[in-house]
Amino acid sequence: MTERLPRTEPNNSTEPNDFTEPNHFTEGIRQAAAEWDTAGGPPREMTERMAKAGLLGADLPAGYGGSARSALQLGELTAALGAVCTSLRSLLTVQAMVAAAVLRWGTEEQRHTWLPALASGERIAGLAVTEADAGSDLNAVRTTIERDGGRLRISGHKLWVTYGEWADVLLVLGREGDRPTAVLVETGRPGVEREPVSGQLGLRGARIAHIRFRDVEVPAGNRVAPPGFGLSHVIGTALDHGRFTVAWGCVGMARACLDEAAGHVLTRRQNGVALAEHELVRAKIAEMHLAAESARALAERAARLRDDRAPDAASATFAAKYAAARAAASVSQDAVQLQGAAGCAPDSLAQRFFRDAKVMQIIEGADEVALLRVAEHVLGGRRARTAPGRNPAGSGAAR
């Protein structure tokens, strides 16, 4: 088993070209984002622009081509991008998910082979885990991974692979015998077939594809971690990282919808009176603000715990993802309602985020799964405090 990497000190540089000012990048894509949603995705050149902006390797160590950003810095970047285009933010997310898994569990050879290529945008990654009968329950995957001498043979059908249409390499979850196993599969290998997906509810610009593997052969060295660790360790690391960036992306979505709605009600007049003067409208704006700010507070807490490598960082990330996805869903819905017909227009940010936000409540752990994980964390802590021999009120508490 690969040992845990030493902690990397965050880069606190303030040079303008290292993307400490997100507006340098996001302002240039604000108008194009709505067009990408309609057209099915951004142009491939955006990967190079994102890499140059420091987005694709933001939290990777500098030794692997990254910028060594802290979790909080990564969150801020993700929120800035999420406030403009969920589909581009999803590229950052999936690239970072695969990179995080390889960084944590890959061999040194795998790290040096793949991480600089992912950070530079030379290679685009995809995470291939979902199947027809394996969504929230990834233990049910049926994709097979068979050892054949010094090679592995992969067969199966994966669904809803974000940027699967573009991906140069996929981190695939399958079963080697009865053991969950993760393996890197280059998409240029014989037997890899892609089926682009279009017309789905949200993430219409995320170049989603279904991927079929027909006896695809890869070197045994493409396996990440030993068999049996593919889900709990490798994919678990990827999904945890994904939840974190999804949470911050949703924080950006909620704030952007609130800003757009606030601007509308201040300038839109009916019978000579601005909408913002109506008490019901003001109350709704307040509710939207509180939802967005609450989500941000939980996302910041998750970032601090991740930076501190605290034991409950994963639970905090689950809580942040749940709260932020719900905030994005409710705030975007209210933004559409407050803007009326304008909120339903094809170029409306609110209607685009309204569709995207529903997807955020499903991916990387559906709302229901997140609630169960948060409950386990709360009840587990309570059990520990009330174990036999312990004073529930705390050591030395007065009676």
Side-chain angles (χ1 to χ4, degrees), residues 150-213:
R151 303 185 71 78
L152 300 173
R153 192 183 301 273
I154 298 96
S155 295
H157 190 201
K158 295 296 185 178
L159 305 177
W160 308 111
V161 180
T162 301
Y163 282 91
E165 191 178 335
W166 281 0
D168 302 296
V169 60
L170 300 167
L171 182 60
V172 181
L173 175 65
R175 305 196 74 82
E176 191 170 346
D178 61 350
R179 296 170 297 180
T181 302
V183 60
L184 292 164
V185 179
E186 299 93 333
T187 55
R189 292 185 176 275
V192 178
E193 301 174 0
R194 314 188 207 217
E195 178 190 346
V197 177
S198 61
Q200 69 273 15
L201 176 65
L203 289 185
R204 293 183 178 179
R207 301 290 181 181
I208 293 172
H210 303 326
I211 311 285
R212 188 175 293 278
F213 305 95

Side-chain angles (χ1 to χ4, degrees), residues 344-375:
C344 299
D347 61 348
S348 164
L349 178 144
Q351 67 87 15
R352 174 159 47 94
F353 282 179
F354 177 53
R355 291 184 284 104
D356 290 343
K358 175 46 65 178
V359 180
M360 298 304 105
Q361 293 184 282
I362 298 171
I363 63 173
E364 266 70 277
D367 277 2
E368 294 78 7
V369 174
L371 282 176
L372 292 177
R373 287 296 299 269
V374 172

